[in-house]
Structure formats: structure tokens, C-alpha cells
């Protein structure tokens, strides 16, 4: 009997993957933002800024198509930014080792709360 060939895993469309990658540095709190592999909060801030620029570019369309989703994304960005701002030190951020487990969990939860509505943005605009 011949061996069956395995199908490659199905991937999400590129645009949806890109939004998750922008925020991926703390996705779920592990493993990218874990004690074993610290994330630089400067890089994390840059990822948040990049995702925000993308959202702002599509925002006029999104507001016309789904104002509630736009508001949800705005609130999630505001909450995530306020959590990041708590860890500022001078012109930068504290080092990762100064974050408590609760800080990491809060950041991860905020990223998850933002990723979910961002993943719906393309569908809302195209509907």
C-alpha cells in the first residue's frame, strides 16, 4: 500500500496573518513574552504602532461599514497603550525582568483583546 501524502496546513490569508504578526510579540503571553525569551518593550511598542497605522489607514472605510467594530478596536488600542505606558522609564521602557507575572498577563490579555477585532476588520470592510 502506498503511503499517503500529507496536505500542508491551511494558512490564513496574508493580510490577516500580517495583523497578528504585528502584535505577535506577546500573543498569549507565551512563549514570545516569557522569562525564557524576553521581549524588548521597545519592539513591542513598534509592533503596536505598526498595527495602529494599518487600522488608521482603513479607519474611514471601517467607520462607514461597522462603527461598533471600529469603536471596539479604538478602545482595545487605548487599553493596550495605557498598559505599555505604565512600563515607561525615561525615554524608553523598563527591562523585561522588571515585569511581574501579572504585568505579562495583562499585556497578553490586552493583545488578545485587540487581535480578535483586528482580525474581523478585513471582512467588515469587504462586506
Amino acid at each position: 500500500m502506498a503511503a499517503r501524502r500529507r496536505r500542508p496546513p491551511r494558512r490564513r490569508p496574508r493580510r490577516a496573518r500580517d495583523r497578528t504578526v504585528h502584535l505577535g510579540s506577546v500573543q498569549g503571553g507565551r512563549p514570545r513574552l516569557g522569562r525564557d525569551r524576553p521581549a524588548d518593550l521597545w519592539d513591542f511598542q513598534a509592533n503596536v504602532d505598526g498595527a495602529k497605522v494599518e487600522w488608521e489607514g482603513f479607519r474611514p472605510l471601517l467607520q462607514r461599514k461597522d462603527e461598533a467594530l471600529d469603536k471596539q478596536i479604538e478602545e482595545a488600542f487605548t487599553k493596550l497603550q495605557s498598559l505599555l505606558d505604565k512600563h515607561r522609564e525615561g525615554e524608553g521602557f523598563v527591562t523585561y525582568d522588571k515585569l511581574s507575572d501579572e504585568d505579562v498577563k495583562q499585556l497578553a490579555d490586552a493583545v488578545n483583546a485587540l487581535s480578535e477585532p483586528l482580525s474581523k476588520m478585513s471582512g467588515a470592510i469587504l462586506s
Side-chain angles (χ1 to χ4, degrees):
M1 184 173 194
R4 292 181 66 182
R5 293 181 71 187
R6 296 186 83 188
R7 292 176 84 181
R10 186 173 173 179
R11 293 187 169 176
R12 292 184 288 168
R14 182 175 171 80
R15 297 293 295 164
R17 280 196 331 261
D18 287 347
R19 274 191 294 286
T20 326
V21 168
H22 286 303
L23 298 171
S25 58
V26 293
Q27 197 72 25
R30 307 176 215 104
R32 293 189 181 190
L33 188 59
R35 301 275 183 222
D36 56 327
R37 185 175 172 201
D40 182 343
L41 291 181
W42 278 92
D43 292 339
F44 182 67
Q45 178 68 63
N47 289 341
V48 171
D49 292 344
K52 192 170 188 177
V53 165
E54 182 177 350
W55 164 65
E56 288 172 341
F58 289 105
R59 193 168 189 196
L61 292 170
L62 184 60
Q63 287 173 328
R64 280 184 280 181
K65 295 282 191 159
D66 192 339
E67 194 170 333
L69 180 60
D70 178 68
K71 185 72 172 160
Q72 186 180 5
I73 293 171
E74 180 180 31
E75 290 170 359
F77 268 119
T78 301
K79 180 177 180 181
L80 180 55
Q81 189 60 59
S82 70
L83 287 172
L84 271 172
D85 289 343
K86 289 180 184 179
H87 305 295
R88 289 199 177 272
E89 183 175 78
E91 293 182 19
F93 292 94
V94 298
T95 57
Y96 181 79
D97 61 335
K98 292 182 181 174
L99 297 179
S100 70
D101 289 340
E102 183 60 27
D103 293 335
V104 173
K105 182 180 181 329
Q106 287 178 350
L107 284 169
D109 289 347
V111 166
N112 290 334
L114 176 58
S115 294
E116 191 267 326
L118 276 180
S119 69
K120 296 178 181 178
M121 186 171 71
S122 296
I125 290 171
L126 296 174
S127 65

